[in-house]
Amino acid sequence: MVSKNIVIISGIIAIFAVIVIIMIVIYFTGYNTALAKDENVKRLAADTDTQLQRRYDLIPNLVQSVKGYLQFEQQTLTEITQLRTQWMETPSEDIAKKNQLSSLIENALGRIVLTYEAYPSLKADQVVTRLMDELAGTENRITVARTYYNDGVRDYNIFLKSFPNVYYNNNGFMGLKPWGFTELPQFQASSLVKTSVPQVNLSLA
């Protein structure tokens, strides 16, 4: 009877040990997966920044070209220049702030685009039109890059919120430290950007 109890207890201990080992293996493999997904999001964010940089490199010339026409929009032109500087000075790791600044810049650019549509004298300026066309040419690249970025963020965030990853990430496991990853923000265009960006595809027709 005693030996039978010992066998049962030993079996329970063995099962518990196997479960613990499996959980530890999941802990480390999960951590490596989370780390890989985090690095993938950073790569996608960098790809998005590259496309945004193409757009923002146009801003100084654009502002210089349109300011003679848009005296009443000097505040907007100054705002764009200041926001561009802030965006360029923001560390790439601060994705949330870069997204926020990007959205604000697009709001300001959207106002210029709408003004361009309304004033024939601006459309008659070949320099302004060329710059606006170049600006339009970056939109598809930015849209694609942001779609990939948002998909990567969604995959990463879902992974962190899934069990047992959410427990490991917040609490660790049996003395092992928590992963400590944080969920990342997706890019969301403001309402003005959503309505104005499609109008960037301009022509002289």
Side-chain angles (χ1 to χ4, degrees):
M1 187 69 177
V2 174
S3 60
K4 184 178 180 180
N5 290 338
I6 293 176
V7 170
I8 293 173
I9 293 173
S10 298
I12 293 173
I13 293 174
I15 293 172
F16 179 76
V18 169
I19 292 173
V20 170
I21 291 172
I22 291 174
M23 295 298 288
I24 290 176
V25 169
I26 293 174
Y27 170 91
F28 284 108
T29 57
Y31 174 82
N32 289 335
T33 301
L35 184 62
K37 290 180 182 294
D38 180 57
E39 290 299 319
N40 181 56
V41 170
K42 291 177 181 177
R43 178 184 63 81
L44 294 171
D47 290 345
T48 303
D49 278 358
T50 298
Q51 301 306 327
L52 289 171
Q53 186 68 59
R54 292 164 65 96
R55 174 197 280 166
Y56 298 157
D57 285 344
L58 297 172
I59 287 178
N61 288 336
L62 180 61
V63 169
Q64 186 67 27
S65 299
V66 303
K67 68 180 182 180
Y69 295 95
L70 306 182
Q71 296 299 326
F72 56 93
E73 282 285 7
Q74 285 302 311
Q75 182 177 352
T76 297
L77 299 179
T78 301
E79 177 187 356
I80 289 177
T81 301
Q82 292 174 343
L83 288 171
R84 173 183 180 270
T85 300
Q86 292 178 45
W87 184 87
M88 296 181 70
E89 292 176 349
T90 300
S92 57
E93 295 80 12
D94 195 346
I95 297 175
K97 185 175 181 181
K98 297 210 86 168
N99 282 346
Q100 179 187 29
L101 289 170
S102 176
S103 186
L104 292 173
I105 291 171
E106 289 175 19
N107 267 323
L109 283 174
R111 293 197 292 274
I112 291 181
V113 169
L114 294 176
T115 302
Y116 175 83
E117 285 290 328
Y119 282 81
S121 58
L122 273 177
K123 286 189 174 184
D125 188 309
Q126 293 184 357
V127 174
V128 175
T129 298
R130 179 181 58 79
L131 289 170
M132 296 298 272
D133 286 342
E134 288 185 41
L135 186 64
T138 67
E139 294 305 321
N140 285 340
R141 296 188 185 95
I142 292 171
T143 298
V144 171
R146 281 176 170 164
T147 298
Y148 287 145
Y149 167 77
N150 281 345
D151 288 345
V153 169
R154 186 182 303 109
D155 178 58
Y156 168 79
N157 288 343
I158 290 174
F159 183 81
L160 288 186
K161 291 187 287 188
S162 301
F163 183 83
N165 301 329
V166 64
Y167 179 79
Y168 291 149
N169 191 53
N170 297 329
N171 303 292
F173 180 71
M174 295 187 69
L176 298 171
K177 66 180 182 179
W179 295 346
F181 292 102
T182 57
E183 292 184 35
L184 296 173
Q186 290 187 310
F187 176 82
Q188 294 183 340
S190 69
S191 57
L192 178 58
V193 173
K194 290 177 181 177
T195 57
S196 65
V197 166
Q199 299 179 49
V200 175
N201 190 13
L202 305 169
S203 70
L204 291 177

